[in-house]
Amino acid sequence: MKRWLGCMSLFLVIVSSGLRAESGLNGVAVYSELGNDVFLAALYSGQVGTNAQELINGNYPKRIELKVISTQGVTQRQFSRIWRESVAINSPRDLLTAQVNNLIYFDGLIRDRLEPGDHLVVSLIPERGVTITLNSVQLGYVKSDGFFKMLLLSWIGVVPPSTKFRDDLLNLNDTSNAQVNSFTTMYPRTARVEVVKSWLAPVEPEKEIVAAKPADAPKVAAAIAAPKASIEKVAAPAKEVADTGQNNSVAAPVVALAAPATVKKEEPEIKSGLSEAEALLAKQFYI
C-alpha cells in the first residue's frame, strides 16, 4: 500500500508539473477604455514568471486569452483598432513589417460584433506556429512564432494598455481572487459556437501585400495627412497568411474564411492610394 501511494504521489507530481508547463496561468487583467471595462485578459505560460522580457522571448508554449465583459460587446472596428494601435506602438519596425500581413489576416477572422462572454484564444507552440480560436472554434492559423511575440508585446511591452494591466498579467500585483474567478468561470452562450462556425468557408487566395518601405516618403506623407478613416478602416480578411520565414518548420493549413460579408460602413471610405499593409506601417511611422 505504501509503495502504491508513493507511486501515485509521484504520478500526480509529474502530471501537475506537465500541466503547469503547458498552461500555467500567469495573470489576469481588466482592459478598459474611457473608464469602461471591455474584456478580461489572461496570460498563460509554460514558465510562469514576472519578468516581461523573459516571457516574451521564452521558447515554450504560451497563450493569450480574452473574454468580453462589456455589455455593449466589441465591434469589428473596435477589435481591429485595439490591436492595431497597441501593436503599432510596441513593435519594432522590422517585426511589424514582417508580420503586417498576418495582423491584417488576424483582424479579418472576426466577422461580426463580439458579445459578452465570447472567448478568444491565441496559442503558441514554438516552431509549430499560432492557432486562433473563438468559443472553441478554430478560426485560423499563422505559421510564424513572431506573430505571437508581436501580440504579446502589445500587452506587456514598453507601452501596455496601462501599467496596472501589464502588472496584473505579470502577477506583480495582488490580483483579487474574484478577478481570476470571474475569468475562469465565464463561458460563451452555447449558440455562439454555431455562429462562429458559420464564419468559416473556403476562399480563393489573395495577392501578396507589399509592405511600405522607408523610401516611400510621398506615400507615407499622404497616409499621415489622410483622414483617420483611411488608415483605420476595418480589414478585409486576408485569404492566405504570408510565410515570413520565422520558425516555420511545421506548415499547417490555414483555416479559410468566407469572402467578407457586406457591412454597413460607419463613415465614408476615403482612398489614400496605399495598400492596407502600407497604411498600417505608415500609421506606425506617424505614431
Side-chain angles (χ1 to χ4, degrees), residues 7-23:
C7 290
M8 285 300 296
S9 298
L10 180 60
F11 173 76
L12 291 174
V13 167
I14 292 172
V15 170
S16 62
S17 298
L19 290 174
R20 286 197 298 271
E22 288 297 323
S23 58

Side-chain angles (χ1 to χ4, degrees), residues 74-76 79 109-115 118 134 192 195 199:
V74 177
T75 66
Q76 292 171 292
F79 178 87
L109 296 179
I110 304 304
R111 297 291 305 279
D112 205 343
R113 179 189 294 268
L114 298 178
E115 70 168 37
D118 278 353
L134 179 63
R192 291 292 291 171
V195 170
W199 297 353

Side-chain angles (χ1 to χ4, degrees), residues 30-79:
V30 179
Y31 179 89
S32 302
E33 288 189 337
L34 303 176
N36 298 314
D37 295 342
V38 180
F39 59 79
L40 283 172
L43 170 61
Y44 290 82
S45 174
Q47 184 174 315
V48 175
T50 59
N51 185 294
Q53 205 57 47
E54 288 180 1
L55 287 166
I56 290 167
N57 295 326
N59 189 36
Y60 38 76
K62 287 171 275 191
R63 68 180 189 270
I64 53 179
E65 303 188 11
L66 68 83
K67 294 184 178 181
V68 178
I69 56 176
S70 169
T71 56
Q72 305 297 319
V74 177
T75 66
Q76 292 171 292
R77 190 184 188 90
Q78 184 181 13
F79 178 87

